[in-house]
Amino acid sequence: MKKFKIFAALLFVFCLNAGALWCEEVVTAYTTLEASLAQKLFAAFEEESGIKVNWERLSGGEAIARLESEREKPKASIWVGGVGTQHVEAKLRGLSEPYRSKFAFSIPAMYRDNENYWTGLYVGPICFCINKNSAVDLNLPTPRTWSDLIAPVYDKKIRMAHPSTSGTGYNVITTLIRVNKGDEEKAFEYFKKLNNSIERYTRSGSAPGKSCVSGDIPLAIGYFDDLVRAKAQGAPIEVIVPEDGTGFETASMSLLKGAPEPDNAKKLYDWILGEKAMNIIAGDYVIPLSKKAKPLETGFSLAWLNLVEQDDKWDAENKERLIKRWIDEISPVPEN
């Protein structure tokens, strides 16, 4: 009888624990933030809210493809990070849904959707980086403008992301159209020349910068935060914002249509727009948009950067056409 009581007590405790696991609150997220930042951000939310975040990191292009393939039965409830153009694309394809967060007003209106489909988190200009050791070994000058990159001295010395798989790569296309005052033909004439300088097109936007840091390639094109973060951590690189103008990502956030955990997704969305989360994001060497954030000193400021005038809606509407032209005229989609 005593053994039975002990067994019954143990069974009761087991059932309680199992029930707690079965009833655990969760939210499923796709993220295009760097994995280290996503880990810090979601761990802080879990600790504060008690809601577990099941997250997966995808490039921007991978995220859009995944959302499209899961349209009929969505697996994720929120998408955090990724360039604004891709969040506009998600909106136009009916993959996201509006949410009027009471915390969104800490973000300037120009960096959030006027129908509340997406909200910007930070701005990241497109930059160049050069490995200082490689530059000395190969006697390479430091490029200061987009036109510098097509000089013969950089033949097969540069990596950048492919526009078909990376929001970073696509932003390069739209940037050069605007650097050329809206002349698409001039931009593609430039890309044909730039192609001679490209050693490899990668699938991920952050991959070229990592290759430059390691010395696998002398130069790379990427986003500000990836490159400045690496430099701050001791990488032997110089980061250059193109003097003749550059585009930028507005890293954004959207709720996903048909989300399996809509209430918890809204809680995460609101929390990310709060002071604690915004300071975690600002601490990752980005240029935060929230008035609540305290940015790190990076030596760069939006006030003096020569940024082009972007139109994310135009970029999203013309993406399929421009990428097809790129594939037809510049480079096929990379295999891996």
Side-chain angles (χ1 to χ4, degrees):
M1 187 65 176
K2 186 176 181 181
K3 290 182 179 180
F4 175 78
K5 288 181 178 179
I6 294 173
F7 174 77
L10 291 173
L11 182 61
F12 177 72
V13 171
F14 172 79
C15 289
L16 283 177
N17 291 334
L21 290 173
W22 292 330
C23 296
E24 183 179 43
E25 287 199 77
V26 301
V27 61
T28 306
Y30 292 150
T31 184
T32 311
L33 300 173
E34 280 296 298
S36 57
L37 173 57
Q39 177 64 45
K40 292 176 189 174
L41 194 66
F42 296 142
F45 173 73
E46 288 179 355
E47 182 178 355
E48 193 163 310
S49 69
I51 300 171
K52 179 175 175 55
V53 183
N54 293 324
W55 60 276
E56 181 178 358
R57 188 188 185 280
L58 303 169
S59 72
E62 288 171 335
I64 288 290
R66 182 75 65 85
L67 296 179
E68 190 68 69
S69 69
E70 295 171 357
R71 176 189 289 273
E72 300 303 320
K73 193 175 181 181
K75 295 181 180 179
S77 298
I78 187 171
W79 177 18
V80 183
V83 297
T85 302
Q86 292 171 326
H87 286 265
V88 175
E89 186 179 354
K91 171 186 174 180
L92 295 175
R93 291 191 187 190
L95 301 172
S96 58
E97 62 180 33
Y99 175 52
R100 188 180 178 86
S101 172
K102 63 182 178 181
F103 301 103
F105 297 100
S106 63
I107 306 295
M110 66 180 293
Y111 296 109
R112 46 188 167 87
D113 183 58
N114 59 12
E115 295 181 307
N116 303 306
Y117 275 83
W118 55 267
T119 302
L121 303 175
Y122 64 83
V123 169
I126 295 177
C127 303
F128 314 146
C129 72
I130 185 167
N131 186 292
K132 294 179 181 180
N133 297 331
S134 298
V136 171
D137 293 342
L138 299 171
N139 196 27
L140 295 176
T142 300
R144 298 294 173 187
T145 65
W146 288 101
S147 57
D148 287 345
L149 296 184
I150 61 176
V153 70
Y154 300 119
D155 185 53
K156 299 295 180 287
K157 301 289 193 305
I158 304 172
R159 282 185 194 172
M160 69 169 273
H162 198 281
S164 70
T165 59
S166 165
T168 312
Y170 180 60
N171 204 347
V172 172
I173 295 181
T174 59
T175 291
L176 266 297
I177 290 174
R178 293 183 176 109
V179 167
N180 284 283
K181 304 186 185 305
D183 192 324
E184 187 177 313
E185 297 308 314
K186 282 188 178 179
F188 273 82
E189 288 174 13
Y190 171 84
F191 289 132
K192 289 172 185 176
K193 296 174 183 176
L194 179 66
N195 193 49
N196 295 324
S197 299
I198 301 298
E199 178 263 353
R200 182 186 306 173
Y201 293 100
T202 64
R203 296 185 68 86
S204 164
S206 61
K210 292 174 181 176
S211 296
C212 185
V213 166
S214 67
D216 288 345
I217 195 75
L219 290 106
I221 300 171
Y223 275 133
F224 172 89
D225 55 301
D226 294 328
L227 305 180
V228 172
R229 183 190 310 110
K231 181 179 179 180
Q233 292 172 348
I237 61 172
E238 181 176 354
V239 180
I240 307 101
V241 179
E243 295 173 359
D244 47 350
T246 196
F248 55 93
E249 66 168 326
T250 305
S252 303
M253 174 171 62
S254 297
L255 290 186
L256 303 177
K257 190 173 182 179
E261 309 108 357
D263 292 338
N264 287 344
K266 289 175 183 177
K267 290 177 184 177
L268 176 56
Y269 195 109
D270 288 344
W271 184 84
I272 288 175
L273 293 174
E275 184 174 355
K276 182 172 183 177
M278 280 295 165
N279 279 319
I280 291 173
I281 291 171
D284 205 50
Y285 299 96
V286 304
I287 301 174
L289 292 172
S290 175
K291 301 169 187 175
K292 301 177 181 180
K294 298 175 183 177
L296 294 178
E297 178 54 54
T298 63
F300 294 88
S301 168
L302 279 179
W304 56 264
L305 297 180
N306 184 14
L307 301 181
V308 301
E309 291 188 18
Q310 292 192 168
D311 182 343
D312 285 347
K313 187 173 185 293
W314 185 93
D315 294 350
E317 291 172 341
N318 287 272
K319 183 176 180 180
E320 185 175 348
R321 178 183 66 81
L322 289 172
I323 288 178
K324 183 179 185 304
R325 182 171 183 182
W326 177 282
I327 291 170
D328 291 343
E329 298 182 23
I330 310 300
S331 172
V333 180
E335 293 182 3
N336 52 50

